[in-house]
Amino acid sequence: METRSNHVLVGAVVLILLGVLALFTIWIARLGGASEKEYDIFFRQAVDGLARGSQVAYSGVPSGQVKEIALWPVDPQYVRVRIAVKDDTPVLQGTTATVLGSFTGTSTVALDGARKGSPAIECPAQNTERVCPYGVPVIPTKVGGFGAILNSAPQLLERLSTLTERLTSLLSDRNQASIAGILENTNRLSDALADRGPEIAATLAQTRVAIQQAGDAAQQIGVLAGTTNNVLANDVQPAMANLNRAIGSAQKSAESLNDAITDARPGLQAFSKQTIPEVGQLVRDLRVTAAALSSVAEKVDQQGASSLIGAPKLPDYKGK
């Protein structure tokens, strides 16, 4: 009886210790889970090599792990990845997520791009269902790394195929013959240029001389322009100044003459109306007087001074 009771006591103690250990383990797990934050990432690319428990690194530093991977029912082109990172991980605005593959087949979720001083990525108070469809903040993605290569592999293969077809068309027999003809013509042209080397050198020498002569002519034109400027400054400008002064003086004289004519206009009008007719009458009288004097002089000249006193002498009578 005593042995059996001891076994029961030992078993009870062991069970109590196992229960305490289980409770401690659960408490540690809850404590560890409370220090983590969960985020959703929607990748529009293949996530090969990514699985639950895969590492999440922030700028290369291990910061958490992948909790869940599933297709997004709203749009099957997207893969929803739920991650949990340490509470002190700076998941700020500007942070992006990328799937980094490796040759070993395992992939990791890489976070980077946070801006200093930016607020943390959180679910907004409004439109929570649209921005955070599963109740946790969403980290935007960017295509890069091995995943980007895998995602763009079909486009790369299509472009390589198109490039191969174009190269095949370019290197056809007809084009090869054309290229051979072009190369032959190029060789012929090179030989002709080599044969005309001395002539080309002479032409270049003449061109150099012509350029030098053009430079000398330009220099002479510059000197002539300077001389012309000096002449204009020293000779023409003083003459123009004198001419301007003469024009000013003439203008002043014209203005004075105009004023004098304006002042003398009443006298001129009276002179033209009274004096000019009297002068005309006087001139006519003088003409008559001159004619009479001319007649008297002619009479004196022909008949003598006595003709002015007595009657004219009768002619002598002669009988038949």
Side-chain angles (χ1 to χ4, degrees):
M1 291 293 295
E2 294 180 357
T3 304
R4 183 177 296 175
S5 62
N6 290 334
H7 288 169
V8 172
L9 181 61
V10 171
V13 171
V14 170
L15 290 176
I16 292 172
L17 291 176
L18 289 175
V20 171
L21 180 61
L23 293 175
F24 180 76
T25 302
I26 294 173
W27 179 76
I28 291 295
R30 290 182 178 179
L31 184 62
S35 63
E36 292 182 344
K37 291 183 178 180
E38 293 185 350
Y39 297 90
D40 278 340
I41 305 172
F42 294 88
F43 289 103
R44 193 177 181 179
Q45 65 181 69
V47 291
D48 297 336
L50 203 64
R52 294 183 61 182
S54 296
Q55 186 180 26
V56 177
Y58 193 99
S59 297
V61 179
S63 302
Q65 60 182 355
V66 176
K67 292 293 184 179
E68 184 183 354
I69 300 177
L71 293 175
W72 191 27
V74 177
D75 190 350
Q77 293 182 350
Y78 289 90
V79 178
R80 183 178 67 86
V81 177
R82 173 70 61 87
I83 64 172
V85 297
K86 297 178 182 179
D87 186 62
D88 59 351
T89 304
V91 184
L92 307 178
Q93 295 290 337
T95 302
T96 56
T98 308
V99 176
L100 295 181
S102 64
F103 294 102
T104 60
T106 59
S107 300
T108 60
V109 177
L111 304 177
D112 60 1
R115 295 187 293 269
K116 181 180 179 181
S118 300
I121 296 178
E122 297 178 350
C123 292
Q126 299 178 353
N127 298 327
T128 304
E129 294 182 358
R130 185 175 63 85
V131 179
C132 303
Y134 290 91
V136 297
V138 177
I139 299 177
T141 63
K142 72 173 182 179
V143 179
F146 188 71
I149 296 176
L150 293 177
N151 193 35
S152 60
Q155 291 83 358
L156 291 176
L157 292 176
E158 183 178 358
R159 292 178 182 178
L160 286 175
S161 177
T162 304
L163 179 61
T164 303
E165 293 177 358
R166 291 182 179 180
L167 286 175
T168 303
S169 301
L170 180 63
L171 297 178
S172 62
D173 295 337
R174 180 178 179 181
N175 291 337
Q176 289 181 1
S178 300
I179 293 172
I182 291 171
L183 293 176
E184 184 178 358
N185 293 332
T186 303
N187 292 331
R188 208 176 294 146
L189 179 61
S190 300
D191 295 337
L193 290 176
D195 296 337
R196 296 298 181 95
E199 297 180 3
I200 295 174
T203 303
L204 291 176
Q206 293 177 359
T207 303
R208 191 180 298 110
V209 172
I211 292 173
Q212 184 177 2
Q213 291 177 354
D216 296 338
Q219 185 177 3
Q220 293 177 0
I221 291 172
V223 174
L224 179 60
T227 303
T228 304
N229 291 331
N230 292 330
V231 170
L232 290 174
N234 298 327
D235 296 337
V236 176
Q237 292 182 358
M240 291 297 295
N242 294 331
L243 180 59
N244 290 331
R245 287 195 295 270
I247 292 172
S249 300
Q251 186 175 2
K252 291 180 180 179
S253 299
E255 292 177 355
S256 300
L257 181 59
N258 189 18
D259 294 339
I261 292 173
T262 302
D263 295 337
R265 185 171 296 171
L268 292 175
Q269 292 178 355
F271 178 78
S272 60
K273 292 179 180 180
Q274 298 178 4
T275 306
I276 289 177
E278 295 177 356
V279 170
Q281 184 64 36
L282 178 61
V283 169
R284 286 192 294 273
D285 293 340
L286 289 175
R287 286 179 180 175
V288 173
T289 304
L293 290 175
S294 177
S295 176
V296 171
E298 183 179 357
K299 188 175 182 180
V300 170
D301 183 37
Q302 292 178 0
Q303 299 178 8
S306 59
S307 60
L308 296 175
I309 300 173
K313 184 179 181 180
L314 296 174
D316 294 335
Y317 178 78
K318 293 179 180 182
K320 296 182 180 179

Short mmCIF file of all heavy atoms in Angstrom, two decimals, residues 158-219:
data_model
loop_
_atom_site.label_atom_id
_atom_site.label_comp_id
_atom_site.label_asym_id
_atom_site.label_seq_id
_atom_site.Cartn_x
_atom_site.Cartn_y
_atom_site.Cartn_z
N GLU A 158 9.57 36.11 -75.22
CA GLU A 158 8.92 36.59 -76.44
C GLU A 158 9.81 37.58 -77.19
O GLU A 158 9.93 37.51 -78.42
CB GLU A 158 7.59 37.24 -76.06
CG GLU A 158 6.78 37.72 -77.27
CD GLU A 158 5.46 38.32 -76.86
OE1 GLU A 158 5.16 38.33 -75.64
OE2 GLU A 158 4.72 38.79 -77.75
N ARG A 159 10.45 38.48 -76.44
CA ARG A 159 11.34 39.44 -77.09
C ARG A 159 12.56 38.76 -77.69
O ARG A 159 13.02 39.13 -78.78
CB ARG A 159 11.76 40.50 -76.08
CG ARG A 159 10.62 41.41 -75.63
CD ARG A 159 11.05 42.41 -74.60
NE ARG A 159 9.93 43.25 -74.16
CZ ARG A 159 10.01 44.19 -73.23
NH1 ARG A 159 11.18 44.42 -72.62
NH2 ARG A 159 8.95 44.89 -72.90
N LEU A 160 13.09 37.75 -76.99
CA LEU A 160 14.22 37.01 -77.55
C LEU A 160 13.82 36.29 -78.84
O LEU A 160 14.59 36.24 -79.80
CB LEU A 160 14.74 36.01 -76.52
CG LEU A 160 15.54 36.59 -75.35
CD1 LEU A 160 15.88 35.50 -74.34
CD2 LEU A 160 16.82 37.25 -75.85
N SER A 161 12.61 35.74 -78.84
CA SER A 161 12.14 35.07 -80.05
C SER A 161 12.00 36.07 -81.21
O SER A 161 12.42 35.80 -82.34
CB SER A 161 10.80 34.39 -79.77
OG SER A 161 10.29 33.79 -80.95
N THR A 162 11.41 37.24 -80.92
CA THR A 162 11.27 38.27 -81.96
C THR A 162 12.64 38.73 -82.46
O THR A 162 12.85 38.90 -83.67
CB THR A 162 10.49 39.47 -81.41
OG1 THR A 162 9.23 39.01 -80.92
CG2 THR A 162 10.27 40.50 -82.49
N LEU A 163 13.59 38.91 -81.52
CA LEU A 163 14.92 39.34 -81.91
C LEU A 163 15.60 38.29 -82.77
O LEU A 163 16.28 38.62 -83.77
CB LEU A 163 15.75 39.62 -80.66
CG LEU A 163 17.20 40.07 -80.88
CD1 LEU A 163 17.24 41.37 -81.67
CD2 LEU A 163 17.92 40.23 -79.55
N THR A 164 15.41 37.04 -82.44
CA THR A 164 16.01 35.97 -83.23
C THR A 164 15.45 35.95 -84.64
O THR A 164 16.18 35.80 -85.64
CB THR A 164 15.77 34.62 -82.54
OG1 THR A 164 16.30 34.66 -81.22
CG2 THR A 164 16.44 33.49 -83.31
N GLU A 165 14.12 36.13 -84.76
CA GLU A 165 13.51 36.16 -86.09
C GLU A 165 14.04 37.33 -86.91
O GLU A 165 14.33 37.19 -88.11
CB GLU A 165 11.99 36.26 -85.95
CG GLU A 165 11.36 35.01 -85.35
CD GLU A 165 9.86 35.16 -85.17
OE1 GLU A 165 9.35 36.27 -85.49
OE2 GLU A 165 9.21 34.20 -84.73
N ARG A 166 14.18 38.49 -86.29
CA ARG A 166 14.69 39.65 -87.04
C ARG A 166 16.14 39.46 -87.44
O ARG A 166 16.54 39.87 -88.54
CB ARG A 166 14.52 40.90 -86.19
CG ARG A 166 13.05 41.30 -85.99
CD ARG A 166 12.91 42.57 -85.19
NE ARG A 166 11.50 42.95 -85.04
CZ ARG A 166 11.07 44.01 -84.38
NH1 ARG A 166 11.96 44.81 -83.79
NH2 ARG A 166 9.78 44.27 -84.30
N LEU A 167 16.93 38.85 -86.57
CA LEU A 167 18.32 38.59 -86.93
C LEU A 167 18.39 37.60 -88.09
O LEU A 167 19.24 37.73 -88.99
CB LEU A 167 19.09 38.05 -85.72
CG LEU A 167 19.42 39.07 -84.63
CD1 LEU A 167 20.08 38.39 -83.44
CD2 LEU A 167 20.36 40.16 -85.18
N THR A 168 17.51 36.61 -88.08
CA THR A 168 17.49 35.65 -89.18
C THR A 168 17.13 36.34 -90.50
O THR A 168 17.74 36.08 -91.55
CB THR A 168 16.47 34.54 -88.88
OG1 THR A 168 16.81 33.92 -87.63
CG2 THR A 168 16.47 33.49 -89.96
N SER A 169 16.13 37.26 -90.44
CA SER A 169 15.76 37.99 -91.66
C SER A 169 16.90 38.91 -92.10
O SER A 169 17.15 39.09 -93.30
CB SER A 169 14.49 38.80 -91.41
OG SER A 169 13.43 37.96 -91.03
N LEU A 170 17.59 39.51 -91.13
CA LEU A 170 18.67 40.42 -91.47
C LEU A 170 19.83 39.70 -92.12
O LEU A 170 20.49 40.23 -93.03
CB LEU A 170 19.14 41.15 -90.21
CG LEU A 170 20.29 42.16 -90.38
CD1 LEU A 170 19.87 43.29 -91.29
CD2 LEU A 170 20.72 42.71 -89.01
N LEU A 171 20.09 38.48 -91.67
CA LEU A 171 21.24 37.72 -92.19
C LEU A 171 20.83 36.76 -93.29
O LEU A 171 21.47 35.70 -93.46
CB LEU A 171 21.90 36.96 -91.04
CG LEU A 171 22.50 37.83 -89.93
CD1 LEU A 171 23.09 36.98 -88.83
CD2 LEU A 171 23.57 38.77 -90.49
N SER A 172 19.82 37.10 -94.05
CA SER A 172 19.44 36.26 -95.19
C SER A 172 20.49 36.35 -96.29
O SER A 172 21.39 37.20 -96.26
CB SER A 172 18.07 36.70 -95.71
OG SER A 172 18.13 38.04 -96.17
N ASP A 173 20.38 35.46 -97.28
CA ASP A 173 21.37 35.42 -98.35
C ASP A 173 21.39 36.74 -99.13
O ASP A 173 22.46 37.24 -99.50
CB ASP A 173 21.04 34.26 -99.30
CG ASP A 173 21.18 32.91 -98.61
OD1 ASP A 173 21.91 32.85 -97.58
OD2 ASP A 173 20.56 31.93 -99.07
N ARG A 174 20.23 37.29 -99.37
CA ARG A 174 20.16 38.55 -100.12
C ARG A 174 20.84 39.68 -99.36
O ARG A 174 21.63 40.46 -99.92
CB ARG A 174 18.71 38.90 -100.41
CG ARG A 174 18.51 40.18 -101.19
CD ARG A 174 17.03 40.41 -101.46
NE ARG A 174 16.82 41.66 -102.18
CZ ARG A 174 15.61 42.12 -102.52
NH1 ARG A 174 14.52 41.40 -102.22
NH2 ARG A 174 15.50 43.26 -103.17
N ASN A 175 20.55 39.78 -98.05
CA ASN A 175 21.17 40.83 -97.25
C ASN A 175 22.67 40.62 -97.11
O ASN A 175 23.44 41.59 -97.08
CB ASN A 175 20.51 40.90 -95.88
CG ASN A 175 19.08 41.41 -95.95
OD1 ASN A 175 18.72 42.10 -96.90
ND2 ASN A 175 18.28 41.06 -94.96
N GLN A 176 23.10 39.36 -97.02
CA GLN A 176 24.53 39.10 -96.94
C GLN A 176 25.24 39.54 -98.21
O GLN A 176 26.35 40.11 -98.17
CB GLN A 176 24.77 37.62 -96.68
CG GLN A 176 24.40 37.17 -95.28
CD GLN A 176 24.66 35.70 -95.05
OE1 GLN A 176 25.14 35.00 -95.94
NE2 GLN A 176 24.34 35.22 -93.85
N ALA A 177 24.59 39.30 -99.38
CA ALA A 177 25.18 39.76 -100.64
C ALA A 177 25.24 41.28 -100.68
O ALA A 177 26.24 41.87 -101.13
CB ALA A 177 24.36 39.22 -101.81
N SER A 178 24.19 41.94 -100.18
CA SER A 178 24.20 43.41 -100.15
C SER A 178 25.30 43.92 -99.23
O SER A 178 26.01 44.89 -99.57
CB SER A 178 22.83 43.92 -99.69
OG SER A 178 21.80 43.50 -100.56
N ILE A 179 25.46 43.30 -98.08
CA ILE A 179 26.51 43.72 -97.15
C ILE A 179 27.89 43.52 -97.76
O ILE A 179 28.79 44.36 -97.62
CB ILE A 179 26.38 42.95 -95.82
CG1 ILE A 179 25.08 43.35 -95.11
CG2 ILE A 179 27.57 43.20 -94.92
CD1 ILE A 179 24.76 42.50 -93.90
N ALA A 180 28.06 42.39 -98.49
CA ALA A 180 29.34 42.16 -99.15
C ALA A 180 29.62 43.24 -100.20
O ALA A 180 30.74 43.74 -100.33
CB ALA A 180 29.34 40.77 -99.80
N GLY A 181 28.56 43.63 -100.98
CA GLY A 181 28.74 44.70 -101.96
C GLY A 181 29.09 46.02 -101.30
O GLY A 181 29.93 46.78 -101.79
N ILE A 182 28.45 46.32 -100.16
CA ILE A 182 28.75 47.56 -99.44
C ILE A 182 30.19 47.57 -98.97
O ILE A 182 30.91 48.57 -99.09
CB ILE A 182 27.78 47.73 -98.26
CG1 ILE A 182 26.36 48.00 -98.78
CG2 ILE A 182 28.21 48.86 -97.35
CD1 ILE A 182 25.31 47.96 -97.69
N LEU A 183 30.65 46.43 -98.45
CA LEU A 183 32.04 46.35 -97.98
C LEU A 183 33.01 46.50 -99.15
O LEU A 183 34.05 47.17 -99.03
CB LEU A 183 32.26 45.02 -97.27
CG LEU A 183 31.50 44.84 -95.94
CD1 LEU A 183 31.73 43.45 -95.38
CD2 LEU A 183 31.95 45.90 -94.92
N GLU A 184 32.66 45.91 -100.30
CA GLU A 184 33.53 46.04 -101.46
C GLU A 184 33.59 47.49 -101.94
O GLU A 184 34.68 48.01 -102.26
CB GLU A 184 33.01 45.14 -102.58
CG GLU A 184 33.91 45.12 -103.82
CD GLU A 184 33.39 44.17 -104.88
OE1 GLU A 184 32.36 43.51 -104.63
OE2 GLU A 184 34.00 44.11 -105.97
N ASN A 185 32.43 48.16 -101.99
CA ASN A 185 32.43 49.58 -102.38
C ASN A 185 33.20 50.43 -101.37
O ASN A 185 33.90 51.38 -101.74
CB ASN A 185 30.99 50.08 -102.47
CG ASN A 185 30.23 49.42 -103.61
OD1 ASN A 185 30.82 49.02 -104.61
ND2 ASN A 185 28.91 49.29 -103.44
N THR A 186 33.12 50.08 -100.10
CA THR A 186 33.87 50.81 -99.08
C THR A 186 35.36 50.66 -99.29
O THR A 186 36.14 51.63 -99.18
CB THR A 186 33.47 50.33 -97.69
OG1 THR A 186 32.05 50.48 -97.52
CG2 THR A 186 34.19 51.12 -96.61
N ASN A 187 35.79 49.42 -99.62
CA ASN A 187 37.22 49.20 -99.89
C ASN A 187 37.68 49.98 -101.12
O ASN A 187 38.76 50.59 -101.14
CB ASN A 187 37.49 47.71 -100.09
CG ASN A 187 37.30 46.92 -98.80
OD1 ASN A 187 37.50 47.45 -97.71
ND2 ASN A 187 36.91 45.66 -98.92
N ARG A 188 36.81 49.99 -102.15
CA ARG A 188 37.15 50.73 -103.36
C ARG A 188 37.26 52.23 -103.07
O ARG A 188 38.18 52.92 -103.55
CB ARG A 188 36.07 50.47 -104.41
CG ARG A 188 36.58 50.57 -105.87
CD ARG A 188 35.47 50.20 -106.83
NE ARG A 188 35.11 48.80 -106.69
CZ ARG A 188 33.89 48.33 -106.86
NH1 ARG A 188 32.91 49.16 -107.13
NH2 ARG A 188 33.65 47.05 -106.76
N LEU A 189 36.34 52.75 -102.28
CA LEU A 189 36.40 54.16 -101.92
C LEU A 189 37.64 54.47 -101.10
O LEU A 189 38.27 55.51 -101.28
CB LEU A 189 35.14 54.53 -101.12
CG LEU A 189 35.03 55.97 -100.63
CD1 LEU A 189 35.04 56.94 -101.80
CD2 LEU A 189 33.76 56.16 -99.79
N SER A 190 38.01 53.57 -100.21
CA SER A 190 39.23 53.78 -99.40
C SER A 190 40.46 53.81 -100.28
O SER A 190 41.36 54.66 -100.10
CB SER A 190 39.35 52.67 -98.35
OG SER A 190 38.23 52.67 -97.48
N ASP A 191 40.51 52.92 -101.27
CA ASP A 191 41.65 52.94 -102.20
C ASP A 191 41.70 54.24 -103.00
O ASP A 191 42.77 54.83 -103.20
CB ASP A 191 41.55 51.73 -103.14
CG ASP A 191 41.69 50.41 -102.39
OD1 ASP A 191 42.27 50.43 -101.28
OD2 ASP A 191 41.21 49.38 -102.91
N ALA A 192 40.51 54.70 -103.46
CA ALA A 192 40.49 55.95 -104.24
C ALA A 192 40.93 57.13 -103.37
O ALA A 192 41.68 58.00 -103.83
CB ALA A 192 39.08 56.19 -104.78
N LEU A 193 40.52 57.15 -102.14
CA LEU A 193 40.95 58.23 -101.25
C LEU A 193 42.44 58.16 -100.98
O LEU A 193 43.12 59.19 -100.90
CB LEU A 193 40.18 58.14 -99.92
CG LEU A 193 38.69 58.51 -99.99
CD1 LEU A 193 38.03 58.27 -98.63
CD2 LEU A 193 38.51 59.97 -100.39
N ALA A 194 42.95 56.95 -100.87
CA ALA A 194 44.40 56.82 -100.66
C ALA A 194 45.17 57.31 -101.88
O ALA A 194 46.23 57.95 -101.75
CB ALA A 194 44.75 55.37 -100.36
N ASP A 195 44.65 57.01 -103.11
CA ASP A 195 45.32 57.49 -104.32
C ASP A 195 45.25 59.00 -104.44
O ASP A 195 46.17 59.64 -104.97
CB ASP A 195 44.68 56.83 -105.56
CG ASP A 195 44.89 55.32 -105.57
OD1 ASP A 195 45.86 54.86 -104.91
OD2 ASP A 195 44.08 54.61 -106.20
N ARG A 196 44.17 59.61 -103.99
CA ARG A 196 44.02 61.06 -104.07
C ARG A 196 44.54 61.76 -102.82
O ARG A 196 44.22 62.93 -102.61
CB ARG A 196 42.53 61.40 -104.25
CG ARG A 196 41.93 60.89 -105.56
CD ARG A 196 42.62 61.52 -106.77
NE ARG A 196 42.06 61.06 -108.02
CZ ARG A 196 41.12 61.71 -108.69
NH1 ARG A 196 40.67 62.83 -108.21
NH2 ARG A 196 40.65 61.22 -109.82
N GLY A 197 45.33 61.09 -102.06
CA GLY A 197 45.86 61.69 -100.84
C GLY A 197 46.62 62.98 -101.08
O GLY A 197 46.37 63.99 -100.40
N PRO A 198 47.59 63.02 -102.04
CA PRO A 198 48.32 64.28 -102.28
C PRO A 198 47.40 65.43 -102.71
O PRO A 198 47.56 66.56 -102.26
CB PRO A 198 49.31 63.90 -103.39
CG PRO A 198 49.50 62.42 -103.23
CD PRO A 198 48.18 61.89 -102.80
N GLU A 199 46.42 65.13 -103.58
CA GLU A 199 45.51 66.19 -104.01
C GLU A 199 44.68 66.71 -102.83
O GLU A 199 44.45 67.92 -102.70
CB GLU A 199 44.58 65.66 -105.11
CG GLU A 199 45.33 65.23 -106.39
CD GLU A 199 44.38 64.71 -107.44
OE1 GLU A 199 43.14 64.73 -107.17
OE2 GLU A 199 44.85 64.27 -108.51
N ILE A 200 44.24 65.80 -102.00
CA ILE A 200 43.47 66.22 -100.84
C ILE A 200 44.31 67.08 -99.91
O ILE A 200 43.85 68.11 -99.38
CB ILE A 200 42.93 64.99 -100.09
CG1 ILE A 200 41.92 64.24 -100.98
CG2 ILE A 200 42.28 65.37 -98.78
CD1 ILE A 200 41.45 62.93 -100.39
N ALA A 201 45.61 66.69 -99.75
CA ALA A 201 46.49 67.49 -98.91
C ALA A 201 46.69 68.88 -99.49
O ALA A 201 46.69 69.89 -98.76
CB ALA A 201 47.84 66.78 -98.74
N ALA A 202 46.87 68.96 -100.83
CA ALA A 202 47.03 70.28 -101.46
C ALA A 202 45.77 71.12 -101.31
O ALA A 202 45.82 72.33 -101.04
CB ALA A 202 47.37 70.09 -102.95
N THR A 203 44.62 70.48 -101.49
CA THR A 203 43.35 71.21 -101.32
C THR A 203 43.21 71.74 -99.90
O THR A 203 42.78 72.88 -99.67
CB THR A 203 42.17 70.29 -101.66
OG1 THR A 203 42.33 69.80 -103.00
CG2 THR A 203 40.85 71.03 -101.54
N LEU A 204 43.60 70.92 -98.94
CA LEU A 204 43.54 71.37 -97.55
C LEU A 204 44.49 72.53 -97.30
O LEU A 204 44.15 73.48 -96.57
CB LEU A 204 43.87 70.21 -96.61
CG LEU A 204 42.83 69.08 -96.56
CD1 LEU A 204 43.32 67.95 -95.67
CD2 LEU A 204 41.50 69.61 -96.05
N ALA A 205 45.69 72.48 -97.95
CA ALA A 205 46.63 73.58 -97.78
C ALA A 205 46.07 74.86 -98.38
O ALA A 205 46.14 75.95 -97.77
CB ALA A 205 47.96 73.23 -98.44
N GLN A 206 45.48 74.75 -99.58
CA GLN A 206 44.87 75.94 -100.20
C GLN A 206 43.71 76.47 -99.34
O GLN A 206 43.53 77.68 -99.21
CB GLN A 206 44.38 75.58 -101.60
CG GLN A 206 45.51 75.26 -102.58
CD GLN A 206 44.99 74.84 -103.94
OE1 GLN A 206 43.77 74.78 -104.15
NE2 GLN A 206 45.90 74.53 -104.87
N THR A 207 42.95 75.54 -98.80
CA THR A 207 41.85 75.96 -97.93
C THR A 207 42.37 76.71 -96.71
O THR A 207 41.80 77.71 -96.28
CB THR A 207 41.04 74.74 -97.49
OG1 THR A 207 40.58 74.04 -98.66
CG2 THR A 207 39.85 75.15 -96.65
N ARG A 208 43.49 76.21 -96.16
CA ARG A 208 44.07 76.88 -95.00
C ARG A 208 44.53 78.28 -95.37
O ARG A 208 44.33 79.25 -94.61
CB ARG A 208 45.24 76.04 -94.48
CG ARG A 208 45.76 76.51 -93.13
CD ARG A 208 46.92 75.64 -92.65
NE ARG A 208 46.50 74.27 -92.46
CZ ARG A 208 46.88 73.25 -93.23
NH1 ARG A 208 47.68 73.46 -94.27
NH2 ARG A 208 46.45 72.04 -92.98
N VAL A 209 45.17 78.42 -96.57
CA VAL A 209 45.61 79.74 -97.01
C VAL A 209 44.41 80.67 -97.22
O VAL A 209 44.43 81.84 -96.83
CB VAL A 209 46.44 79.61 -98.31
CG1 VAL A 209 46.75 80.98 -98.89
CG2 VAL A 209 47.74 78.87 -98.03
N ALA A 210 43.33 80.13 -97.84
CA ALA A 210 42.14 80.95 -98.06
C ALA A 210 41.53 81.41 -96.75
O ALA A 210 41.11 82.55 -96.60
CB ALA A 210 41.12 80.15 -98.88
N ILE A 211 41.53 80.51 -95.78
CA ILE A 211 40.99 80.89 -94.47
C ILE A 211 41.84 81.96 -93.83
O ILE A 211 41.33 82.92 -93.23
CB ILE A 211 40.90 79.64 -93.57
CG1 ILE A 211 39.83 78.68 -94.12
CG2 ILE A 211 40.58 80.02 -92.14
CD1 ILE A 211 39.79 77.36 -93.39
N GLN A 212 43.17 81.84 -93.98
CA GLN A 212 44.05 82.86 -93.42
C GLN A 212 43.83 84.20 -94.11
O GLN A 212 43.78 85.26 -93.45
CB GLN A 212 45.50 82.41 -93.56
CG GLN A 212 46.51 83.36 -92.91
CD GLN A 212 47.92 82.83 -93.01
OE1 GLN A 212 48.15 81.76 -93.59
NE2 GLN A 212 48.87 83.57 -92.46
N GLN A 213 43.69 84.19 -95.46
CA GLN A 213 43.44 85.43 -96.18
C GLN A 213 42.10 86.04 -95.77
O GLN A 213 41.98 87.26 -95.62
CB GLN A 213 43.44 85.16 -97.69
CG GLN A 213 44.83 84.79 -98.22
CD GLN A 213 44.80 84.46 -99.71
OE1 GLN A 213 43.72 84.38 -100.30
NE2 GLN A 213 45.97 84.25 -100.30
N ALA A 214 41.10 85.18 -95.58
CA ALA A 214 39.81 85.68 -95.12
C ALA A 214 39.94 86.33 -93.74
O ALA A 214 39.33 87.37 -93.46
CB ALA A 214 38.79 84.55 -95.07
N GLY A 215 40.78 85.73 -92.89
CA GLY A 215 41.00 86.33 -91.58
C GLY A 215 41.69 87.68 -91.68
O GLY A 215 41.32 88.63 -90.98
N ASP A 216 42.70 87.77 -92.57
CA ASP A 216 43.37 89.06 -92.76
C ASP A 216 42.39 90.10 -93.30
O ASP A 216 42.41 91.27 -92.87
CB ASP A 216 44.54 88.89 -93.73
CG ASP A 216 45.62 87.97 -93.14
OD1 ASP A 216 45.66 87.83 -91.89
OD2 ASP A 216 46.41 87.39 -93.91
N ALA A 217 41.56 89.69 -94.28
CA ALA A 217 40.58 90.63 -94.83
C ALA A 217 39.60 91.09 -93.75
O ALA A 217 39.25 92.27 -93.67
CB ALA A 217 39.82 89.96 -95.98
N ALA A 218 39.19 90.16 -92.91
CA ALA A 218 38.29 90.55 -91.83
C ALA A 218 38.95 91.52 -90.88
O ALA A 218 38.33 92.48 -90.40
CB ALA A 218 37.82 89.29 -91.07
N GLN A 219 40.26 91.30 -90.63
CA GLN A 219 40.98 92.23 -89.74
C GLN A 219 41.08 93.61 -90.37
O GLN A 219 40.89 94.64 -89.71
CB GLN A 219 42.37 91.67 -89.45
CG GLN A 219 43.17 92.49 -88.45
CD GLN A 219 44.51 91.85 -88.13
OE1 GLN A 219 44.85 90.81 -88.71
NE2 GLN A 219 45.26 92.46 -87.23
#
